[in-house]
Amino acid sequence: MAAPRAGAIALSPLAGVRQVVADYVTLTKPRVQSLLLFTTVTTMLVAGSPSLQLILLTCLGGYLSAGGAGAVNHAFDRDIDARMARTADRPVPAGRVSARAATIFGCVLAALSVIELTVWVNPLSAALALCGFLGYVFVYTVWLKRRTPQNIVIGGAAGAVPPLVGWAAVTGGLDGMAIYLFAIVFFWTPPHFWALSLLMKDEYERVGVPMLPVVRGEVETRRQILLYTVLLWAVTQLPFCAGGLGGIYLAGSLGLGLAFIYGAYRLFRRADRRSALQLYLFSLAYLAALFAVMVLDARI
């Protein structure tokens, strides 16, 4: 029998370490985090002229807080995640990370976020980030997700906190403009998530999660998506109407909003999976483009 190669034995522990690191990074939901951090950075650039150091420190605190919430969510939802194809291979339901370890990891990240933001940014941003953590964990994950089809509407407030954190980091306070940015993300969340829930209706129904398509049906979900998209379009006009942003933002928000409404209307009429997927993907690009237009307007 041929002797094993020396390199094969040496690589095995390294591969194990990489898997552990990858699993713990996965617990922080980095793909979701990317959009949250983008809204944080763009909000900071709209609020003022922050230094690169302040931006990085604020993003670090935001990542720790949201990542901690994601880790606790992984632990709490391990039973339903194990029964859905999309989530069955996540670290906790797959057995690579214990629920206890994920929960401790999440709480440690949240504590580090509060300390880091308090010391190197300001106490208000730390308090807001903590509110986002508590909202996502206890209001959305523990209380609402398995009890009401309005889970993503009410619980979505936690995902709208990053603009508040970014604004507070730069200005040391909150004003009307910060609330408008919070409201934009808040009203964007339902049509964004409901488009995804249409694609996953059967899985949510199988595990007993009362998402809107399961409880109220697909027709009502598509109608709610269209209504919320129109409402979102109206909310996005508030920064211009209040004088916080100018003509560049107005043109961008009108164009992006009409495109979003068209996609929601097309989904309402066609009622197919392709339209739902296209709207879901567009909603991601929409929010990023809208906040980028805010920066463009503020800087020019």
Side-chain angles (χ1 to χ4, degrees):
M1 180 180 295
R5 294 178 299 166
I9 298 176
L11 286 175
S12 182
L14 180 59
V17 171
R18 286 177 177 172
Q19 182 64 60
V20 170
V21 172
D23 284 337
Y24 276 88
V25 170
T26 298
L27 290 178
T28 66
K29 300 189 175 183
R31 286 189 294 180
V32 175
Q33 290 257 34
S34 60
L35 191 55
L36 297 179
L37 292 177
F38 186 79
T39 60
T40 302
V41 173
T42 49
T43 295
M44 294 178 75
L45 295 175
V46 171
S49 299
S51 66
L52 178 60
Q53 180 182 13
L54 180 61
I55 291 175
L56 293 176
L57 289 172
T58 304
C59 287
L60 174 59
Y63 189 95
L64 291 171
S65 178
V72 176
N73 174 267
H74 273 264
F76 189 84
D77 281 348
R78 63 191 181 278
D79 57 333
I80 58 177
D81 283 349
R83 296 159 57 195
M84 296 196 297
R86 184 177 69 94
T87 57
D89 194 47
R90 285 177 172 175
V92 178
R96 297 190 302 273
V97 177
S98 70
R100 181 173 181 270
T103 302
I104 293 173
F105 178 64
C107 292
V108 168
L109 291 185
L112 290 175
S113 169
V114 171
I115 295 171
E116 188 267 342
L117 289 172
T118 299
V119 173
W120 284 295
V121 182
N122 59 52
L124 178 58
S125 62
L128 290 167
L130 179 60
C131 286
F133 171 85
L134 295 175
Y136 188 79
V137 170
F138 293 104
V139 178
Y140 173 67
T141 301
V142 176
W143 179 32
L144 296 174
K145 184 174 180 178
R146 307 187 191 208
R147 287 178 171 83
T148 171
Q150 294 300 308
N151 47 22
I152 201 63
V153 178
I154 304 170
V161 167
L164 298 181
V165 174
W167 196 275
V170 176
T171 67
L174 297 175
D175 58 20
M177 187 67 177
I179 302 303
Y180 297 151
L181 301 188
F182 169 88
I184 287 172
V185 180
F186 178 81
F187 285 103
W188 165 85
T189 302
H192 161 73
F193 197 87
W194 284 335
L196 176 63
S197 69
L198 284 171
L199 300 170
M200 298 180 57
K201 176 192 172 186
D202 292 342
E203 292 198 49
Y204 281 131
E205 188 171 19
R206 185 166 60 251
V207 299
V209 176
M211 291 300 177
L212 191 62
V214 176
V215 177
R216 303 288 296 277
E218 295 188 21
V219 174
E220 178 61 18
T221 300
R222 294 194 302 270
R223 190 178 76 87
Q224 290 292 328
I225 287 174
L226 180 57
L227 290 175
Y228 265 87
T229 305
V230 173
L231 181 58
L232 171 64
W233 178 83
V235 171
T236 59
Q237 306 314 305
L238 293 176
F240 173 79
C241 293
L245 294 170
I248 294 176
Y249 171 77
L250 176 64
S253 63
L254 288 174
L256 289 167
L258 290 174
F260 204 168
I261 291 172
Y262 170 75
Y265 176 74
R266 184 176 61 180
L267 173 61
F268 180 74
R269 293 297 302 271
R270 294 184 179 179
D272 59 358
R273 290 180 61 85
R274 181 179 180 183
S275 297
L277 178 60
Q278 288 176 340
L279 187 67
Y280 169 72
L281 295 176
F282 176 79
S283 68
L284 295 169
Y286 166 87
L287 191 65
L290 184 69
F291 273 75
V293 169
M294 291 181 194
V295 176
L296 184 62
D297 183 283
R299 293 301 172 183
I300 292 181

